[in-house]
Amino acid sequence: MNPDIQALHDRFALQDLLTAYCYAVDRLEDVEGLVSLFTPDADYDLSAIGLLRTKGHEGIRAFFTRVFADMAHHAHYSANFTVQRLDGDAASTRAYVTGMGIARDGNCVTVHVDYYLDCVRTAQGWKIARFYEEPLLPMPGSLGEIHGREENHAA
Amino acid sequence: MNPDIQALHDRFALQDLLTAYCYAVDRLEDVEGLVSLFTPDADYDLSAIGLLRTKGHEGIRAFFTRVFADMAHHAHYSANFTVQRLDGDAASTRAYVTGMGIARDGNCVTVHVDYYLDCVRTAQGWKIARFYEEPLLPMPGSLGEIHGREENHAA
Amino acid sequence: MNPDIQALHDRFALQDLLTAYCYAVDRLEDVEGLVSLFTPDADYDLSAIGLLRTKGHEGIRAFFTRVFADMAHHAHYSANFTVQRLDGDAASTRAYVTGMGIARDGNCVTVHVDYYLDCVRTAQGWKIARFYEEPLLPMPGSLGEIHGREENHAA
């Protein structure tokens, strides 16, 4: 494919990868579909918002198994998506996300965060190799109440 | 046009169709402009959020004529747009929408919903053949208070 | 470049320009980076939301120097981006933005606005020549409390 056209297709594929992550996180039932968006050794880092950092499919699977069990509703809206670097089979993207959740116990949470994803092209398409997010606005206390619990389970 | 380039143009055109829908719904005055985004026999289905399902331009026109009369402000923000299927002159898209409204009587509503649009390419560009939305988060009671009224008018 | 491909690259570049504006406004520290997104004689017009209208880099720099000093947090999410006109080296774009802010004094503001940008292609890429925004939903009183202050400084 013409490289000028390839770059456009890559941009859409990278945005679709972020969207697939949002869809999977919000579906609350297909952990394997969610895990498959990451490389086997992916770095999944929520430490900047006060939650866990884990590496690889097993850790991501364990975290979201608990999250899906605890949450009744999820909605993650992305905005301001950009490709900050596209270099052959590696790319870095950034986007803002508003994440909303209602736990089964009724507790609610809304976060406004800045996602940084490092992605790699594989035989199965683009995958997330590093997932990192930072607060855009101060995190609400309910974030730790809801998801800190999952990490206590994990400990 | 090269099919690789055509697919990219189609994707933008499909996203623009959703955006045109949001713009028209929020403008609150050009019902014909809104109706023209749909095929003549379009299926407009809000049943999954507790509102009407209607078919064709006449039903859509009647619904939005009442909505525009009742609402003072509308704002529909889309996110997470994807083309889930693009097959020649037919396409299926998905997006999240946050819909906010303030009725003339002061009642307010915010919904977080998942839009599924089936679209067809016509001589006048892409049109919506089926419009379906589902809740992402629980619907507020004010949705039925505001828009249930329009359906009572219709009954 | 093939003009069909060029139009696609331009669209992404124009959306990236809006996103760069949001990122810069939210970073709260790099006034020069923000100013560089505008043409030297840009018209920056917030009059429709009850704030200032100014022309050129100096006025924009002065406004944001005060805004960045007063704000503790900013988050501007864009949605519904469209290119309404693309004519060689000139373009008009539209998007919805949700702007959230927390002032250093604790006052909070959220606005839902409609951005209209006229852009021109320069040797340094696309720049904003005219920036205009309108309310989508009624503006909160805290907008003037927070940013009216900056204009009083300026007067």
Side-chain angles (χ1 to χ4, degrees):
Chain A
M1 196 183 287
N2 172 322
D4 287 328
I5 305 177
Q6 182 66 53
L8 296 162
H9 280 277
D10 282 338
R11 180 168 171 143
F12 279 135
L14 288 162
Q15 184 158 15
D16 284 349
L17 180 59
L18 170 63
T19 299
Y21 174 83
C22 293
Y23 286 173
V25 166
D26 295 348
R27 195 173 162 202
L28 293 177
E29 63 181 44
D30 179 12
V31 173
E32 293 311 313
L34 175 53
V35 166
S36 75
L37 303 175
F38 293 87
T39 61
D41 63 343
D43 182 7
Y44 187 75
D45 186 356
L46 305 185
S47 60
I49 62 165
L51 298 178
L52 94 170
R53 178 175 186 177
T54 188
K55 274 212 114 189
H57 281 186
E58 191 177 345
I60 297 169
R61 182 183 292 117
F63 178 66
F64 278 102
T65 298
R66 291 187 194 97
V67 168
F68 288 1
D70 284 343
M71 301 304 291
H73 301 281
H74 251 179
H76 287 74
Y77 283 68
S78 70
N80 295 357
F81 175 84
T82 51
V83 176
Q84 305 215 286
R85 184 178 60 95
L86 175 57
D87 184 9
D89 295 336
S92 297
T93 69
R94 180 180 177 190
Y96 286 6
V97 171
T98 298
M100 292 169 273
I102 304 172
R104 291 191 190 279
D105 67 7
N107 205 346
C108 291
V109 63
T110 296
V111 298
H112 296 98
V113 286
D114 206 348
Y115 277 24
Y116 294 87
L117 273 61
D118 292 337
C119 304
V120 295
R121 190 196 312 270
T122 75
Q124 288 76 44
W126 287 98
K127 301 288 178 185
I128 305 167
R130 177 171 181 264
F131 182 104
Y132 174 75
E133 62 180 81
E134 282 182 350
L136 270 168
L137 298 183
M139 294 292 104
S142 59
L143 181 69
E145 292 165 21
I146 292 175
H147 294 303
R149 216 168 34 201
E150 277 101 44
E151 294 179 65
N152 292 338
H153 287 313
Chain B
M1 196 184 287
N2 171 323
D4 287 329
I5 305 177
Q6 182 66 53
L8 296 162
H9 280 277
D10 282 338
R11 180 170 171 141
F12 278 136
L14 289 161
Q15 185 159 16
D16 284 349
L17 180 60
L18 170 63
T19 300
Y21 173 84
C22 293
Y23 286 174
V25 165
D26 295 348
R27 196 173 161 202
L28 293 177
E29 62 181 44
D30 179 12
V31 173
E32 293 312 313
L34 175 53
V35 166
S36 75
L37 303 175
F38 292 87
T39 60
D41 62 343
D43 182 8
Y44 187 75
D45 187 356
L46 305 185
S47 60
I49 63 165
L51 298 178
L52 95 171
R53 178 175 186 177
T54 188
K55 274 213 112 185
H57 281 187
E58 191 177 344
I60 297 169
R61 183 183 293 116
F63 177 66
F64 278 102
T65 297
R66 292 187 192 97
V67 169
F68 288 1
D70 284 343
M71 301 303 291
H73 301 281
H74 251 177
H76 287 75
Y77 283 67
S78 70
N80 294 358
F81 176 83
T82 51
V83 177
Q84 304 214 286
R85 183 178 60 95
L86 175 56
D87 184 11
D89 296 336
S92 297
T93 69
R94 181 181 176 188
Y96 286 6
V97 171
T98 298
M100 293 169 273
I102 304 172
R104 291 193 190 278
D105 67 8
N107 205 347
C108 290
V109 63
T110 296
V111 298
H112 296 99
V113 286
D114 204 348
Y115 278 23
Y116 294 87
L117 273 61
D118 291 337
C119 304
V120 295
R121 190 196 312 269
T122 74
Q124 286 76 43
W126 287 96
K127 301 288 178 185
I128 305 167
R130 178 171 181 263
F131 182 104
Y132 174 75
E133 62 180 81
E134 282 183 349
L136 270 168
L137 298 183
M139 295 290 103
S142 60
L143 181 69
E145 292 165 21
I146 292 175
H147 293 304
R149 216 170 31 203
E150 278 102 43
E151 293 180 66
N152 292 338
H153 287 313
Chain C
M1 197 184 285
N2 172 323
D4 288 328
I5 305 177
Q6 182 66 53
L8 296 162
H9 281 276
D10 282 339
R11 179 170 172 141
F12 278 135
L14 288 162
Q15 184 158 16
D16 284 349
L17 180 59
L18 170 63
T19 299
Y21 173 83
C22 293
Y23 286 173
V25 166
D26 296 348
R27 197 176 161 200
L28 293 177
E29 62 180 45
D30 179 12
V31 173
E32 293 313 312
L34 175 52
V35 166
S36 75
L37 303 175
F38 293 87
T39 60
D41 62 343
D43 182 8
Y44 187 75
D45 186 357
L46 305 185
S47 60
I49 62 165
L51 298 178
L52 96 169
R53 178 176 186 177
T54 189
K55 274 213 111 185
H57 280 186
E58 192 178 342
I60 297 169
R61 182 184 292 116
F63 178 66
F64 278 102
T65 299
R66 292 187 193 96
V67 169
F68 288 1
D70 285 343
M71 300 304 291
H73 301 281
H74 251 179
H76 288 73
Y77 283 67
S78 70
N80 295 358
F81 175 82
T82 51
V83 176
Q84 305 215 285
R85 185 178 59 96
L86 175 57
D87 185 11
D89 296 336
S92 297
T93 69
R94 181 180 177 190
Y96 286 5
V97 171
T98 298
M100 293 169 273
I102 304 172
R104 291 192 190 279
D105 67 8
N107 205 348
C108 290
V109 63
T110 297
V111 299
H112 297 98
V113 287
D114 205 349
Y115 277 23
Y116 294 87
L117 273 61
D118 291 336
C119 305
V120 295
R121 191 197 311 269
T122 74
Q124 287 76 45
W126 288 96
K127 300 288 178 183
I128 305 167
R130 178 171 181 263
F131 182 104
Y132 174 74
E133 62 180 81
E134 283 182 350
L136 270 168
L137 298 183
M139 295 290 104
S142 60
L143 181 69
E145 292 165 20
I146 293 174
H147 293 303
R149 214 169 35 203
E150 278 102 43
E151 293 179 65
N152 292 339
H153 286 313

